[in-house]
């Protein structure tokens, strides 16, 4: 490429070629844009160089106009319309500059792709042809297509990355914020309480067990506050010395205490045992003396002790509790859910170490204990005491005996006394000769009632019209049924015997005859109406239901045994309830022990009403009572009644003696059961007393009637029942003519 001239080309007038004003004369020294164009790198113009002939040698690739490449770039290298080239004269330049003066945005200029020679340039001044660095390709060779330039790779948009990062950061902070709000609002109690177990102390607030009261509200059994003494074997320094100091205070042998304080581990683990009871129910004064000894590893805590003021008073009824105050026997067990309260609990926050005391304002929650309710029984404490005393005295005359006594009030059916012999001290239930000594004989003593069942047979016969109070017929000394011979203990040798006479002499033969007239189906029906064959539901746990022989199972001998009270199983309470129906004008009333429940706040809930049903009409019940008075009154040359020993001076008494058998687990026991059940005053009965005494060697019948007399006499006087008008007692004709 030829070197570029330093001086621009000029025309003949000395102005630069290509000026818009090249045709006009100029004064020397006045410059315009042409002068600017003619400015050389040395800071001189062509005019200053002094030579109009000096011309700039254009590059081979440029046109004569030095600004044409720039304008060509602005125009995008496009040619003029219609393929015509733009004239390079002054007129064309003038048009272009005029447009430029109006605004650069409106410039539309087409530049020829090739340099255009100016009309003023000489031929020799034309630029030499452009040389190619490589030889031309042969004409015949096809021209390769122009390869489009590769588009540069698209760079990532930083704004998108910024938006994405911002979104992720906001999401993260929003999640953290939501979690913090959740922890501060919803989970606050859980986290606040998370560390409490390590600094909480729990104190149990025991609920007192309800009392068992008699009908007037006097306690038969109640709970008192006490202490239990315990030891931590891991802290006891000298267990033998400690045992010797505690033994006289606790009343426990020192050897037993030392064994309890021996160091050992919990069964199946390596954890040392740190708690063992030494005594329960210790009096508060004794507990204070133990604490004054300041023995290592020995401590006391609040406890409860069941106290029975009467000792053995109604013990067979009341039962006893475990050291943890759970009912185990008797009414304590039957009504354990009523008597036992719900313990409370106090949980509070404490300090550590020497500051193990409640923290003021710290966590504290108290669940108040709910004391148990009390039971008010129908039992009269004074009458119960005398009944037990009389029964114990009478049974003492018969060795190895078991006795039961029941007193029922008419017409309520309430049990005023229910005694058993032997008995025990409810405060020390383990001090008995046999566990059976703790049984309530009135509900568990199953007997073959014997002759006291005859009142049921005669009552059913009266109600069904089989007999009347004036009925009488000859009675033989013996009768055979099913190959079994039945005989009377007071034979009348076939003489005519009245119904009162049959009761007074307890005639087996006469009763069997009446039973046959009645029929086995009707007799069985009345047995059930009088309450036999099923538990009374009095309230005692483990009450025996007894047993009856259904008519379809009767054998030939049953026609003789059932009417006189054999082949029948019953308890003393069942028989007492049957006689109470006779005393209550023929209406059976379920016997019951519980009168009401008394809540911890003093609210009272009466017990459920007893079941009642009609068995006899009032007239037939009164007729039967009148005939039963013969048992305690007939005493003449023709014989004495079997129940004279049961007569109560000053009162008319109706009742019946009996001699039966005892069965244990279905097996007949040796000896016999003597019994007497009666009511007084007979003209308007107020009470029924039943006494049963069993002895392996016999003799129970000899003590049952005298025991009844004492019990009924005390009961009538205790409740101030006016004496009967004995001069109006009936006169019975035993052997009518």
């Amino acid at each position: 490429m030829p070197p570029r001239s330093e001086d621009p080309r000029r025309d003949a007038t000395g102005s630069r070629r290509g000026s818009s004003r090249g045709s006009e004369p100029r004064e020397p020294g006045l410059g315009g844009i042409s002068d600017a164009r003619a400015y050389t790198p040395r800071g001189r113009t062509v005019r200053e160089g002094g030579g109009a002939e000096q011309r700039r040698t254009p590059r081979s690739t440029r046109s004569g106009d030095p600004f044409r490449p720039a304008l060509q770039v602005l125009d995008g290298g496009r040619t003029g319309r219609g393929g015509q080239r733009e004239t390079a004269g002054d007129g064309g330049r003038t048009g272009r500059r005029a447009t430029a003066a109006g605004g650069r945005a409106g410039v539309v200029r087409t530049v020829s792709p090739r340099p255009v020679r100016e009309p003023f340039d000489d031929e020799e001044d034309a630029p030499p042809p452009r040389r190619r660095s490589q030889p031309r390709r042969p004409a015949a060779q096809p021209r390769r297509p122009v390869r489009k330039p590769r588009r540069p790779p698209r760079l990532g948009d930083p704004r998108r990355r910024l938006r994405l990062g911002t979104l992720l950061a906001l999401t993260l902070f929003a999640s953290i914020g939501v979690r913090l709000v959740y922890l501060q609002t919803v989970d606050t109690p859980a986290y606040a309480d998370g560390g409490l177990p390590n600094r909480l102390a729990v104190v149990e607030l025991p609920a007192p067990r309800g009392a068992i009261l008699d009908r007037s509200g006097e306690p038969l059994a109640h709970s008192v506050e006490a202490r239990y003494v315990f030891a931590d074997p891991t802290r006891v320094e000298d267990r033998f010395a400690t045992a010797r100091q505690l033994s006289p205070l606790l009343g426990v042998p020192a050897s037993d205490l030392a064994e309890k304080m021996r160091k050992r581990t919990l069964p199946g683990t390596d954890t040392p045992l740190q708690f063992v009871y030494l005594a329960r129910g210790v009096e508060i004064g004794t507990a204070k003396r133990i604490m004054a000894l300041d023995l290592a590893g020995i401590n006391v805590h609040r406890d409860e002790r069941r106290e029975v003021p009467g000792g053995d008073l109604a013990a067979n009824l009341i039962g006893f509790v475990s050291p943890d105050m759970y009912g185990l026997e008797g009414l304590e067990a039957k009504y354990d859910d009523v008597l036992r309260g719900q313990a409370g609990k106090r949980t509070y926050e404490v300090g550590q170490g020497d500051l193990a005391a409640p923290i003021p304002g710290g966590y504290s929650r108290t669940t108040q204990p709910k004391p148990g309710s009390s039971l008010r029984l129908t039992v009269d404490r004074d009458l119960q005491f005398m009944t037990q005393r009389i029964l114990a005295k009478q049974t003492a005359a018969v060795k190895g005996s078991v006795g039961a006594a029941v007193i029922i009030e008419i017409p309520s059916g309430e049990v005023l006394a229910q005694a058993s012999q032997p008995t025990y001290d409810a405060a020390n239930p383990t001090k008995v000769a046999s566990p059976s000594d703790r049984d309530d004989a009135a509900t568990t003593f199953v007997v073959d009632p014997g002759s006291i069942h005859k009142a049921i047979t005669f009552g059913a016969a009266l109600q069904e019209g089989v007999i009347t109070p004036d009925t009488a017929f000859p009675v033989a000394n013996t009768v055979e049924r099913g190959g079994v011979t039945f005989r009377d203990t007071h034979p009348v040798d076939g003489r005519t015997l009245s119904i009162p006479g049959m009761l007074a002499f307890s005639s087996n033969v006469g009763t069997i005859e009446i039973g046959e007239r009645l029929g086995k189906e009707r007799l069985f029906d009345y047995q059930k109406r009088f309450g036999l064959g099923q538990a009374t539901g009095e309230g005692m746990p483990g009450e025996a239901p007894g047993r009856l022989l259904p008519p379809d199972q009767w054998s030939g001998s049953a026609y003789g045994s059932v009417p006189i009270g054999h082949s029948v199983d019953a308890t003393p309470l069942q028989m007492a309830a049957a006689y109470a129906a006779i005393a209550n004008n023929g209406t059976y009333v379920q016997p019951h022990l519980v009168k009401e429940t008394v809540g911890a706040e003093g609210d009272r809930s009466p017990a459920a009403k007893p079941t009642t049903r009609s068995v006899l009409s009032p007239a037939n019940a009164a007729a039967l009572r009148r005939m039963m008075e013969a048992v305690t009154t007939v005493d003449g040359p023709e014989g004495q009644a079997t129940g004279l020993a049961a007569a109560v001076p000053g009162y008319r008494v109706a009742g019946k003696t009996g001699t039966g058998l005892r069965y244990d687990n279905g097996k007949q026991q040796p000896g016999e059961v003597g019994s007497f059940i009666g009511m007084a005053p007979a003209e308007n009965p107020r009470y029924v007393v039943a006494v049963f005494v069993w002895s392996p060697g016999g003799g129970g019948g000899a003590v049952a009637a005298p025991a009844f007399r004492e019990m009924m006499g005390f009961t009538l006087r205790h409740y101030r029942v006016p004496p009967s008008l004995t001069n109006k007692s009936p006169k019975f004709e035993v052997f009518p003519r």
Side-chain angles (χ1 to χ4, degrees):
M1 181 182 294
R4 184 178 180 179
S5 175
E6 295 180 359
D7 296 331
R9 290 178 294 176
R10 298 178 180 271
D11 56 16
T13 62
S15 63
R16 181 185 171 193
R17 180 169 57 88
S19 172
S20 62
R21 298 180 183 180
S23 61
E24 297 180 3
R26 278 178 177 258
E27 291 184 11
L30 295 176
I33 191 169
S34 300
D35 295 336
R37 291 174 178 174
Y39 187 78
T40 66
R42 294 187 180 89
R44 304 190 304 274
T45 65
V46 175
R47 194 178 291 112
E48 290 175 343
E53 301 83 15
Q54 297 178 355
R55 299 178 183 274
R56 178 183 177 186
T57 304
R59 296 181 181 180
S60 60
T61 60
R62 296 181 180 270
S63 66
D65 191 347
F67 291 93
R68 189 175 300 277
L71 296 174
Q72 189 175 3
V73 171
L74 293 174
D75 267 351
R78 296 188 298 270
T79 59
R81 292 181 181 181
Q84 298 180 357
R85 296 181 180 177
E86 197 177 44
T87 306
D90 290 343
R93 295 190 190 93
T94 303
R96 290 193 300 271
R97 295 190 180 188
T99 305
R104 291 181 180 272
V107 174
V108 178
R109 183 176 180 180
T110 304
V111 181
S112 174
R114 294 184 179 181
V116 181
R117 290 179 60 86
E118 297 291 338
F120 304 101
D121 293 340
D122 296 334
E123 286 294 340
E124 61 272 10
D125 293 333
R130 183 177 180 181
R131 294 180 180 180
R132 296 181 179 274
S133 60
Q134 297 179 355
R136 292 181 176 270
R137 295 181 179 179
Q141 185 177 2
R143 187 175 181 180
R144 297 178 63 181
V146 179
R147 189 175 183 180
K148 293 183 180 181
R150 297 182 66 180
R151 180 175 298 178
R154 187 175 182 181
L155 301 179
D157 189 354
R159 290 175 297 177
R160 294 180 61 188
R161 291 195 297 269
L162 181 60
R163 287 194 295 268
L164 180 60
T166 303
L167 180 61
L168 292 176
L170 291 177
T171 303
L172 177 62
F173 282 112
S175 301
I176 295 175
V178 171
R179 181 60 178 165
L180 288 175
V181 172
Y182 185 82
L183 293 177
Q184 292 292 329
T185 57
V186 180
D187 284 350
T188 297
Y191 283 94
D193 297 343
L196 282 178
N198 295 329
R199 60 180 186 274
L200 290 182
V202 180
V203 176
E204 182 177 322
L205 304 177
R209 186 177 178 87
I212 298 179
L213 312 172
D214 80 333
R215 65 187 298 110
S216 60
E218 297 297 330
L220 298 174
H222 64 106
S223 296
V224 296
E225 184 177 354
R227 298 290 184 268
Y228 65 78
V229 181
F230 67 95
D232 181 354
T234 62
R235 297 177 55 196
V236 175
E237 297 175 353
D238 187 344
R239 61 189 179 103
F240 295 102
T242 302
R244 285 192 295 270
Q245 290 180 276
L246 293 176
S247 179
L249 294 174
L250 298 178
V252 180
S255 58
D256 294 345
L257 294 175
E259 176 61 24
K260 290 182 178 180
M261 290 184 285
R262 179 175 56 85
K263 293 182 180 179
R264 53 189 180 276
T265 59
L266 294 173
T269 66
D270 296 332
T271 305
L273 180 65
Q274 295 181 307
F275 180 91
V276 60
Y277 283 113
L278 298 182
R280 299 293 302 270
V282 178
E283 294 183 358
I284 296 177
T286 303
K288 290 181 178 179
R289 290 196 294 272
I290 291 174
M291 292 304 297
L293 297 176
D294 195 19
L295 300 173
I298 305 300
N299 210 333
V300 301
H301 201 274
R302 190 186 186 281
D303 198 9
E304 187 178 358
R305 184 179 74 249
R306 199 66 167 169
E307 192 172 85
V308 184
D312 63 353
L313 183 65
N316 301 76
L317 289 178
I318 296 171
F320 60 93
V321 299
S322 68
D324 294 326
M325 293 291 133
Y326 286 90
L328 299 181
E329 285 186 10
L331 296 175
E332 294 276 20
K334 178 67 177 291
Y335 297 95
D336 183 67
D337 55 340
V338 177
L339 296 168
R340 180 163 45 89
Q342 297 180 6
K345 182 172 62 175
R346 183 189 176 202
T347 305
Y348 56 92
E349 195 172 0
V350 298
Q352 296 182 352
D354 296 336
L355 299 178
I359 297 177
Y363 177 87
S364 179
R365 178 179 297 175
T366 301
T367 303
Q368 295 296 335
K370 297 180 180 179
S373 299
S374 298
L375 287 181
R376 190 159 76 95
L377 305 182
T378 60
V379 173
D380 186 320
R381 184 180 63 170
D382 296 337
L383 184 58
Q384 177 74 25
F385 173 78
M386 287 302 299
T387 302
Q388 288 186 207
R389 182 178 178 181
I390 295 170
L391 184 63
K393 181 185 69 173
Q394 294 294 337
T395 56
V398 184
K399 296 182 179 180
S401 61
V402 175
V406 179
I407 300 178
I408 298 178
E409 182 186 54
I410 306 300
S412 65
E414 295 180 353
V415 178
L416 301 178
Q418 188 163 305
S420 299
Q421 184 63 35
T423 186
Y424 69 102
D425 185 355
N428 297 291
T430 59
K431 295 182 178 180
V432 291
S434 171
S436 62
D437 293 348
R438 298 194 298 259
D439 293 342
D440 173 50
T443 56
T444 62
F445 189 48
V446 179
V447 301
D448 190 339
S451 294
I452 56 175
H453 182 273
K454 293 174 182 177
I456 295 176
T457 303
F458 280 85
L462 279 173
Q463 186 68 23
E464 293 297 319
V466 173
I467 61 172
T468 67
D470 299 328
T471 299
F473 55 85
V475 177
N477 293 337
T478 63
V479 64
E480 183 176 338
R481 294 291 184 270
V484 178
T485 301
F486 299 90
R487 56 175 48 88
D488 283 343
T489 56
H490 193 290
V492 294
D493 300 326
R495 298 173 61 186
T496 300
L497 192 64
S498 65
I499 299 297
M502 296 180 191
L503 288 170
F505 297 151
S506 190
S507 174
N508 292 332
V509 176
T511 305
I512 293 173
E513 178 67 26
I514 294 175
E516 287 183 343
R517 296 180 185 181
L518 180 63
K520 60 181 180 180
E521 287 81 6
R522 287 191 290 183
L523 179 58
F524 179 75
D525 180 57
Y526 275 90
Q527 285 177 324
K528 293 192 297 182
R529 290 190 189 184
F530 276 105
L532 303 186
Q534 59 185 350
T536 64
E538 176 200 34
M540 288 296 296
E543 181 182 1
R547 184 180 62 88
L548 294 176
L549 187 63
D552 57 353
Q553 298 180 14
W554 280 33
S555 62
S557 62
Y559 289 91
S561 62
V562 174
I564 62 175
H566 297 291
S567 301
V568 177
D569 292 342
T571 64
L573 180 63
Q574 287 175 324
M575 296 307 301
Y579 273 67
I582 299 171
N584 192 31
N585 291 325
T587 301
Y588 178 90
V589 178
Q590 178 188 16
H592 50 283
L593 275 170
V594 179
K595 195 175 186 69
E596 64 181 2
T597 301
V598 183
E601 302 298 329
D603 51 308
R604 299 174 180 271
S605 301
K609 292 183 178 180
T611 302
T612 61
R613 58 178 173 270
S614 177
V615 181
L616 304 175
S617 66
N620 287 327
L624 182 58
R625 290 197 304 269
R626 184 175 182 278
M627 291 188 294
M628 291 172 62
E629 287 189 63
V631 177
T632 60
T633 58
V634 172
D635 184 12
E638 297 177 340
Q640 293 181 335
T642 58
L644 292 179
V648 178
Y651 296 90
R652 293 170 57 183
V653 177
K656 184 69 182 75
T657 58
T659 303
L661 303 173
R662 181 189 179 189
Y663 291 89
D664 188 8
N665 294 326
K667 296 181 179 180
Q668 181 179 335
Q669 302 299 307
E672 60 183 20
V673 178
S675 58
F676 188 93
I677 304 178
M679 58 201 74
E683 67 275 15
N684 184 22
R686 294 281 306 275
Y687 309 101
V688 168
V689 175
V691 180
F692 288 72
V693 178
W694 169 79
S695 174
V703 299
F708 168 87
R709 182 181 63 245
E710 291 190 49
M711 293 177 189
M712 180 61 80
F714 179 83
T715 302
L716 294 171
R717 292 190 299 271
H718 178 66
Y719 290 108
R720 300 179 180 179
V721 177
S724 300
L725 298 177
T726 55
N727 58 352
K728 293 186 177 181
S729 297
K731 303 298 181 181
F732 297 103
E733 189 176 4
V734 177
F735 298 103
R737 306 237 179 229

